[in-house]
């Protein structure tokens, strides 16, 4: 549940902006302190729980996120610096921090992430936390692959995951068909 929906308080609306990208339309969601979500065109509504939303195309966090994503897709950015305002369990936040530590252009397996956070037997839980990552691309869950290097589930779809990995490995690629 998003922190703005704390019991006894009225939920604070979140700001949204939908942008075009080579991997399809992305809906950016921001709170007052940072980016709360990057949602895919066909995202499952239950994947990321958010409070009330309202369009705000000029919100500074959304504008900055759009700028950084444009740089990323143009091959000019390898790291994101936009402030984050994500909600999750302590375990999820630990996994998401480990995802942000995966170097640009590299991949890690679920088991490697589990070992990195000191929970070597938690590969499945890492996979579940990875699937709940609210800020896809910014927190690079697309860099996580199966133990044998195979592409595994991704909220944006496997074609989007393949595109993002190819982009980061310097392989020329047009947007998704």
């Amino acid at each position: 549940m998003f922190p703005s929906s704390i019991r006894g308080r009225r939920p604070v609306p979140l700001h949204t902006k939908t942008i075009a990208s080579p991997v399809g339309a992305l809906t950016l969601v921001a709170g007052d302190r940072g980016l709360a979500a990057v949602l895919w065109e066909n995202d499952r509504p239950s994947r990321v729980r958010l409070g009330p939303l309202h369009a705000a195309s000029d919100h500074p966090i959304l504008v900055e996120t759009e700028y950084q994503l444009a740089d990323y897709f143009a091959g000019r950015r390898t790291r994101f610096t936009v402030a984050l305002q994500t909600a999750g369990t302590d375990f999820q936040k630990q996994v998401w921090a480990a995802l942000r530590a995966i170097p640009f252009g590299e991949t890690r397996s679920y088991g490697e992430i589990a070992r990195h956070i000191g929970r070597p037997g938690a590969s499945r839980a890492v996979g579940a936390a990875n699937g709940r990552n609210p800020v896809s691309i910014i927190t690079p869950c697309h860099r996580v692959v199966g133990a044998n290097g195979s592409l595994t589930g991704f909220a944006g779809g496997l074609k989007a995951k393949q595109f993002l990995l190819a982009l980061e490995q310097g392989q020329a690629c047009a947007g998704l068909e």
Side-chain angles (χ1 to χ4, degrees):
M1 189 171 300
F2 201 77
S4 63
S5 56
I6 296 171
R7 285 187 199 159
R9 291 191 194 165
R10 195 178 191 163
V12 177
L14 298 169
H15 317 284
T16 67
K17 176 178 190 171
T18 300
I19 63 169
S21 84
V23 290
L26 298 172
T27 299
L28 312 178
V29 181
D32 291 332
R33 294 172 289 133
L35 185 68
V38 175
L39 304 175
W40 298 91
E41 202 166 351
N42 297 314
D43 223 329
R44 287 185 343 267
S46 63
R47 189 178 73 80
V48 179
R49 293 183 183 194
L50 300 168
L53 304 174
H54 76 85
S57 62
D58 61 346
H59 190 279
I61 292 166
L62 299 176
V63 170
E64 179 61 23
T65 303
E66 180 179 23
Y67 172 78
Q68 289 189 25
L69 282 168
D71 271 359
Y72 169 80
F73 286 120
R76 296 186 299 263
R77 178 174 293 275
T78 61
R79 190 172 155 274
F80 294 96
T81 58
V82 65
L84 300 179
Q85 181 182 328
T86 55
T89 66
D90 289 342
F91 179 79
Q92 288 171 329
K93 290 176 181 180
Q94 192 176 19
V95 169
W96 300 337
L99 299 178
R100 288 189 294 276
I102 302 171
F104 183 86
E106 295 184 22
T107 60
R108 298 290 183 272
S109 70
Y110 296 99
E112 288 173 311
I113 297 293
R115 286 188 294 282
H116 177 82
I117 64 171
R119 303 274 303 269
S123 296
R124 285 182 171 218
V126 165
N130 194 50
R132 292 272 188 195
N133 169 26
V135 286
S136 294
I137 305 170
I138 307 295
T139 294
C141 51
H142 59 276
R143 295 180 190 157
V144 182
V145 297
N148 64 0
S150 63
L151 297 187
T152 56
F154 184 60
L158 292 183
K159 284 185 179 183
K161 184 171 189 165
Q162 185 174 28
F163 175 89
L164 296 170
L165 292 172
L167 173 75
E168 292 186 8
Q169 293 165 358
Q171 299 172 7
C173 44
L176 300 179
E177 303 291 315

